[in-house]
Amino acid sequence: MLGWEHLTVNSLGHLAIGGRDTLALAEEYGTPLFVMSEEAIRENCRLYRRSIERFYGGNGLAAYASKAFCCKAICRMVQEEGLGLDVVSAGELYTAKAADFPMDKVIFHGSNKTAEELTMALEYGVGRIVADNLTELRTLDALAAAKGTTAPVMLRVKPGIDAHTHEFIRTGQIDSKFGFALETGEALAAVKLALGSKNLRLIGLHCHIGSQIFEIDPFCLAVKVMLEFMGLICRETGAVLGELNLGGGFGIRYIAENDPVAYDRYMEKVAAVVRDCCKKLGFPAPFLLLEPGRSIVGAAGITLYQVGSVKTIPGIRTYVSVDGGMGDNPRYALYQADYTFLAAARAGEPKTQTVTVAGKYCESGDLLGENVSLQEVAPGEILAVLATGAYNYSMASNYNRNPRPPVVLVGEKGDRVIIRRESLEDLIRNDSD
Ligand SMILES: *Cc1c(COP(=O)(O)O)cnc(C)c1O
């Protein structure tokens, strides 16, 4: 009824997640509180796995982009569901290691990895390091040489597709901090450098065309551009690269109007384009990698806040203030991200007012939504924000020295805290006297 399968309205009229009453959860764990549905996360992982099996003969791997939400518990779930894992920092890599994630299924990204991070990746035996620039390729070659090993590399290529324009277009798009440009010859130069480096093993190419994308066509175009480039590489160097990584970016439902593409349809179409292109190019179909982040965890999570003041400025607007804000969810302050808000105690009732939801941080821009519709709420009641599972906790800060909220996972075996609430003591842990 709400469009999110793991969210329901129970017999008391309360919002429930994974069958658990959100008012009871707020009572038990306090607010602000992140709650995630284990079933939703696992089901999303399975959808990716199944669609690769069904439409591409299992000749691929979906790797969860952990920057969307990273902790040991999610690494374990992702592993149990048979996915790989994307990391972009020593911290994410360390978390994966702490969760005993199989390192051969880890992909290490980043536009400016440090020598320490690259060393760590080599020592851990990370399966794929996605190089972003020539400096990094040279550093990696030298580090691998010093260790007497060979680094498995992929190259991040800018295919020049802007999926965010209304009519997505093939643009120059050289102006991005990520990756090697195709049209300048930079990407081909990087391929040649990698192929000629004794301690680098070039296994394929990577591209990532954006995030929160609702169409399939930009991905199909990316496939064509990348495979044509792989064909060119073959003609120029004789090397047949075996892997193509198409990145992430699949959109999710934040508001009712959002209409996400079913992964099955995505995979069906993309796999057909891959096969078709490879046939034309006389090229073996590559092992395909996908890197969903948002679409694995985003809709699976919600945030529960307690309403503090409700301030109506006559003729202007009503501010509903909550006990969190930009510290646990900076996405509205950063880029006016859309969200759906519900009074948790009256989740099934019509929304009768238009309000601005404000946080408790000392910034005028600390808002979670403006002119959003909501049921009546009074101070002390619980406000739910939907689809906060991705890029919320992972972007959270301690601004104003507010402790970060806990994350509770609800599942068939009951609920459990997967990240505990920070204490005031935690906040001064690294302070010197
Ligand atoms: C951010 C990112 C992803 C995940 O993107 P989503 O939009 O969360 O699916 C995947 N791959 C790379 C390289 C990224 O930078």
Side-chain angles (χ1 to χ4, degrees):
M1 123 189 26
L2 295 163
W4 289 270
E5 298 79 358
H6 54 294
L7 301 176
T8 48
V9 176
N10 67 18
S11 57
L12 300 170
H14 301 171
L15 177 68
I17 175 166
R20 288 281 278 128
D21 188 311
T22 54
L23 296 193
L25 287 165
E27 178 73 29
E28 181 171 350
Y29 296 102
T31 55
L33 176 68
F34 286 107
V35 188
M36 300 180 89
S37 157
E38 179 165 4
E39 196 46 41
I41 294 170
R42 288 185 185 274
E43 185 54 28
N44 290 333
C45 291
R46 287 172 203 153
L47 286 172
Y48 277 103
R49 258 194 65 173
R50 281 193 218 119
S51 65
I52 293 172
E53 275 160 23
R54 178 155 172 224
F55 296 109
Y56 202 62
N59 187 29
L61 178 70
Y64 167 63
S66 72
K67 74 175 196 263
F69 172 64
C70 187
C71 65
K72 292 201 292 187
I74 186 84
C75 290
R76 293 217 178 90
M77 275 187 269
V78 163
Q79 184 200 339
E80 283 163 11
E81 296 303 335
L83 269 60
L85 193 76
D86 265 23
V87 299
V88 295
S89 68
E92 288 179 356
L93 181 55
Y94 186 78
T95 307
K97 183 82 173 165
D100 293 321
F101 201 92
M103 285 295 145
D104 60 327
K105 283 169 114 179
V106 171
I107 307 174
F108 194 12
H109 283 284
S111 62
N112 192 24
K113 304 176 199 73
T114 64
E116 289 76 15
E117 286 174 323
L118 292 172
T119 302
M120 191 169 162
L122 289 175
E123 279 171 2
Y124 282 11
V126 163
R128 296 168 182 88
I129 300 173
V130 182
D132 177 271
N133 56 75
L134 294 174
T135 306
E136 184 179 306
L137 273 179
R138 294 194 189 97
T139 306
L140 191 58
D141 186 40
L143 290 170
K147 289 195 175 302
T149 173
T150 308
V153 291
M154 301 189 80
L155 301 179
R156 173 150 187 174
V157 173
K158 288 182 250 196
I161 292 156
D162 188 348
H164 293 291
T165 45
H166 180 59
E167 274 291 301
F168 79 91
I169 39 167
R170 179 92 216 271
T171 63
Q173 230 220 347
I174 297 169
D175 187 14
S176 160
K177 74 166 186 170
F178 295 102
F180 298 99
L182 267 184
E183 51 272 71
T184 60
E186 188 191 17
L188 188 59
V191 167
K192 288 179 177 168
L193 176 71
L195 289 173
S197 301
K198 240 179 58 217
N199 296 89
L200 299 181
R201 182 166 54 89
L202 184 62
I203 52 184
L205 302 180
H206 168 270
C207 67
H208 174 72
I209 58 172
S211 203
Q212 186 62 357
I213 301 168
F214 289 113
E215 296 122 299
I216 304 178
D217 288 352
F219 291 104
C220 294
L221 182 56
V223 165
K224 282 186 194 142
V225 171
M226 296 295 284
L227 284 173
E228 273 165 21
F229 183 46
M230 285 165 84
L232 176 77
I233 291 167
C234 185
R235 287 194 300 278
E236 291 262 328
T237 70
V240 178
L241 301 183
E243 297 194 1
L244 175 59
N245 186 331
L246 295 172
F250 319 103
I252 66 160
R253 173 163 291 154
Y254 283 102
I255 53 176
E257 293 86 330
N258 294 155
D259 194 13
V261 177
Y263 316 120
D264 256 10
R265 277 194 41 225
Y266 163 86
M267 204 51 219
E268 182 175 16
K269 227 173 148 184
V270 164
V273 175
V274 170
R275 275 195 284 268
D276 191 46
C277 283
C278 285
K279 210 164 152 192
K280 280 187 192 135
L281 292 163
F283 202 76
F287 186 80
L288 274 190
L289 291 149
L290 307 178
E291 302 174 323
R294 188 191 309 276
S295 52
I296 298 285
V297 289
I302 63 171
T303 308
L304 301 175
Y305 298 103
Q306 186 172 43
V307 174
S309 76
V310 178
K311 196 178 283 181
T312 298
I313 307 173
I316 311 274
R317 61 167 111 196
T318 296
Y319 283 100
V320 172
S321 288
V322 297
D323 56 354
M326 66 189 291
D328 56 79
N329 183 359
R331 291 186 71 252
Y332 189 80
L334 274 175
Y335 37 69
Q336 287 76 54
D338 288 322
Y339 282 105
T340 298
F341 298 82
L342 288 172
R346 278 180 288 287
E349 291 178 19
K351 295 179 172 181
T352 51
Q353 55 172 348
T354 299
V355 303
T356 288
V357 179
K360 71 186 295 269
Y361 293 75
C362 296
E363 292 280 337
S364 301
D366 170 29
L367 304 174
L368 293 171
E370 289 175 276
N371 306 314
V372 298
S373 50
L374 186 67
Q375 296 88 356
E376 291 302 315
V377 276
E381 291 192 331
I382 299 301
L383 182 83
V385 184
L386 308 191
T388 58
Y391 304 109
N392 273 226
Y393 193 92
S394 63
M395 285 186 165
S397 78
N398 288 125
Y399 183 48
N400 291 166
R401 286 232 151 171
N402 283 305
R404 272 175 281 226
V407 182
V408 167
L409 189 71
V410 299
E412 276 166 14
K413 286 172 261 161
D415 35 81
R416 64 187 176 105
V417 176
I418 57 171
I419 304 181
R420 68 169 174 79
R421 185 182 298 283
E422 278 180 334
S423 65
L424 297 176
E425 187 57 34
D426 288 330
L427 296 174
I428 59 165
R429 198 172 296 286
N430 296 320
D431 295 5
S432 303
D433 282 324

